[in-house]
Amino acid sequence: MKMSPAIQDLIDALRHLPGVGPKSAQRMTLHLLERDREAAESLGEALLAALSRVQQCQRCRNFTELTICEICGDPKRDDSLLCVVETPADVLAIEHTGSYRGLYFVLMGHLSPLDGIGPKELGLDSLEVLLEQETISEVILATNPTVEGEATGHYIAEMANRNKILVSRIAHGVPLGGELEYIDATTLAHALGGRKVVSPE
Amino acid sequence: MKMSPAIQDLIDALRHLPGVGPKSAQRMTLHLLERDREAAESLGEALLAALSRVQQCQRCRNFTELTICEICGDPKRDDSLLCVVETPADVLAIEHTGSYRGLYFVLMGHLSPLDGIGPKELGLDSLEVLLEQETISEVILATNPTVEGEATGHYIAEMANRNKILVSRIAHGVPLGGELEYIDATTLAHALGGRKVVSPE
Ligand SMILES: [Zn+2]
Ligand SMILES: [Zn+2]
């Protein structure tokens, strides 16, 4: 016996969510249809609204509904500091510490040649323009302490070096192999405060 | 710092899915926006399509896109058998066994007076009409072996009795292939209570 096509389509669509297998997708579908049609409608509309409204900031690449995001556009932020992170979740995690007042650049990933993710896919051409044109005095590398994150950080450090900009790296304290988005705020604040200059030495 | 409103709305909407907490909702949202906008669009459309197309079968209350569902409308099914279950997922589980060819009645829940779920909310008035008007020879109770499921089954058994219809109940006990030491005490007690004489035959 098959589910009705509209139900099966919904189960299949829910399986694209990370961490959702066939059993959970079926449970979610029946839950929404049986007990929470209002939530299903809100979710459907929220998805389509987010897709049509959310773009990337033209300066930092973070998600925003504006051309230039709220952080980049905030005159109270210190625009001499640029923190480079892999994902929007990392920006949130750092903002959550309340201990950073500079700007960001969001790579939306890390260098991964085997997956076809090179400098261009990470917007490193726009980053180079930022480094050349803005008055950035320090680039803070906050890529993940993984092989790919380190390689990406190294690449960006060289770009900053060419522009004679100080490069620092958030302190170890973030466990090796850990992902920023899952680190508690205190550890992350500590890591930021203890950042070390990596070049020029 | 807050997320952009459209992103926050999406995170909030995803939290209505069963088993999805704030961290997973955020991870799902960023995953969809960063890497799977196509999946987000399909999901949004599938939700709205399911809501507008999926209704309940006018005979058995199961979800369907038709007025009368495919099972109820199938002339090859045995319409003298009526299996009463709590949810559409239970119908799927029984259909999956391939060993039942009768029809169903789907309660979409169980009696739960404290939550305001009485006979009317479970469609027991329509079930009574079915029992009176159709030529049903046996009602098979397959409500869950919980206090509420048992009470619901008992209520339906009395309705069937009034209509002089045979009532049976699916067997509960140790699952085939299950090991006694891992079975919960309630199930095991139930299995003991429901023991059958095997000899002398
Ligand atoms: Zn920005
Ligand atoms: Zn039906």
Side-chain angles (χ1 to χ4, degrees):
Chain A
M1 182 235 186
K2 278 168 51 191
M3 287 276 200
S4 97
I7 296 183
Q8 193 57 56
D9 286 352
L10 180 50
I11 293 173
D12 295 344
L14 283 163
R15 289 201 54 192
H16 285 272
L17 294 173
V20 176
K23 268 282 171 194
S24 320
Q26 183 186 303
R27 191 166 58 246
M28 287 173 172
T29 297
L30 296 177
H31 170 87
L32 290 172
L33 288 170
E34 272 171 49
R35 282 191 292 278
D36 216 346
R37 289 195 160 226
E38 213 170 305
E41 192 175 358
S42 308
L43 177 53
E45 285 165 0
L47 281 159
L48 302 178
L51 286 173
S52 77
R53 291 196 209 133
V54 177
Q55 305 297 331
Q56 286 179 252
C57 169
Q58 292 195 359
R59 188 192 155 284
C60 75
R61 290 168 55 91
N62 199 3
F63 290 135
T64 180
E65 290 167 53
L66 310 166
T67 311
I68 297 294
C69 77
E70 284 184 42
I71 294 178
C72 288
D74 182 349
K76 293 197 296 294
R77 309 278 308 204
D78 181 352
D79 61 6
S80 72
L81 292 177
L82 186 75
C83 180
V84 181
V85 296
E86 296 187 21
T87 72
D90 299 335
V91 172
L92 278 184
I94 292 175
E95 288 296 290
H96 190 64
T97 69
S99 64
Y100 179 67
R101 295 298 299 162
L103 301 181
Y104 293 93
F105 190 84
V106 185
L107 302 167
M108 298 282 177
H110 46 238
L111 291 173
S112 183
L114 292 180
D115 303 310
I117 301 176
K120 197 167 156 25
E121 284 68 31
L122 302 180
L124 295 183
D125 43 355
S126 342
L127 178 59
E128 183 117 55
V129 174
L130 281 191
L131 297 179
E132 283 163 5
Q133 298 186 344
E134 297 193 2
T135 54
I136 293 162
S137 61
E138 180 178 354
V139 168
I140 302 167
L141 298 175
T143 50
N144 286 323
T146 56
V147 175
E148 298 87 353
E150 301 278 4
T152 309
H154 185 71
Y155 189 102
I156 294 166
E158 296 201 332
M159 278 173 42
N161 285 341
R162 284 198 296 279
N163 288 281
K164 311 263 186 295
I165 298 171
L166 190 73
V167 179
S168 63
R169 195 159 165 292
I170 62 169
H172 287 102
V174 176
L176 289 177
E179 288 181 77
L180 281 198
E181 113 177 64
Y182 299 111
I183 306 303
D184 68 279
T186 317
T187 307
L188 198 50
H190 192 89
L192 273 166
R195 66 187 185 274
K196 302 248 189 317
V197 171
V198 292
S199 72
E201 287 170 305
Chain B
M1 183 239 183
K2 279 167 48 190
M3 288 279 202
S4 98
I7 296 182
Q8 193 58 54
D9 286 351
L10 180 50
I11 294 174
D12 295 343
L14 283 163
R15 289 202 54 194
H16 284 273
L17 294 173
V20 176
K23 268 283 171 192
S24 320
Q26 182 184 304
R27 191 165 60 247
M28 286 173 173
T29 297
L30 296 176
H31 169 88
L32 289 172
L33 288 170
E34 274 172 48
R35 283 191 290 279
D36 216 346
R37 289 193 162 230
E38 214 170 304
E41 192 174 357
S42 309
L43 177 54
E45 285 164 0
L47 280 160
L48 301 179
L51 285 175
S52 77
R53 289 194 211 134
V54 177
Q55 305 297 331
Q56 287 179 252
C57 170
Q58 292 194 358
R59 188 193 155 284
C60 75
R61 292 166 54 93
N62 200 3
F63 290 135
T64 179
E65 291 169 53
L66 310 167
T67 310
I68 297 293
C69 77
E70 284 183 42
I71 293 179
C72 289
D74 182 349
K76 293 199 294 296
R77 310 277 310 204
D78 179 352
D79 61 7
S80 71
L81 291 177
L82 185 75
C83 181
V84 181
V85 296
E86 295 189 20
T87 73
D90 300 334
V91 172
L92 280 183
I94 293 175
E95 286 296 292
H96 192 63
T97 68
S99 64
Y100 178 68
R101 294 298 298 162
L103 302 181
Y104 294 93
F105 189 84
V106 185
L107 302 167
M108 298 282 178
H110 46 238
L111 291 174
S112 184
L114 292 178
D115 303 311
I117 301 176
K120 197 168 158 26
E121 284 68 30
L122 302 180
L124 296 185
D125 43 354
S126 342
L127 178 58
E128 182 116 56
V129 174
L130 281 191
L131 297 181
E132 284 163 8
Q133 299 185 344
E134 297 193 0
T135 53
I136 294 162
S137 61
E138 181 177 354
V139 167
I140 302 168
L141 298 175
T143 51
N144 287 323
T146 58
V147 175
E148 298 86 353
E150 302 278 4
T152 309
H154 186 71
Y155 189 102
I156 294 166
E158 296 201 333
M159 276 174 44
N161 285 342
R162 283 199 296 278
N163 288 280
K164 313 262 186 296
I165 298 170
L166 189 73
V167 179
S168 64
R169 194 158 165 292
I170 60 168
H172 294 106
V174 178
L176 291 178
E179 290 180 74
L180 282 198
E181 78 176 289
Y182 300 116
I183 304 301
D184 67 275
T186 316
T187 304
L188 198 49
H190 202 98
L192 275 166
R195 67 189 180 276
K196 298 240 186 332
V197 172
V198 289
S199 70
E201 286 171 305

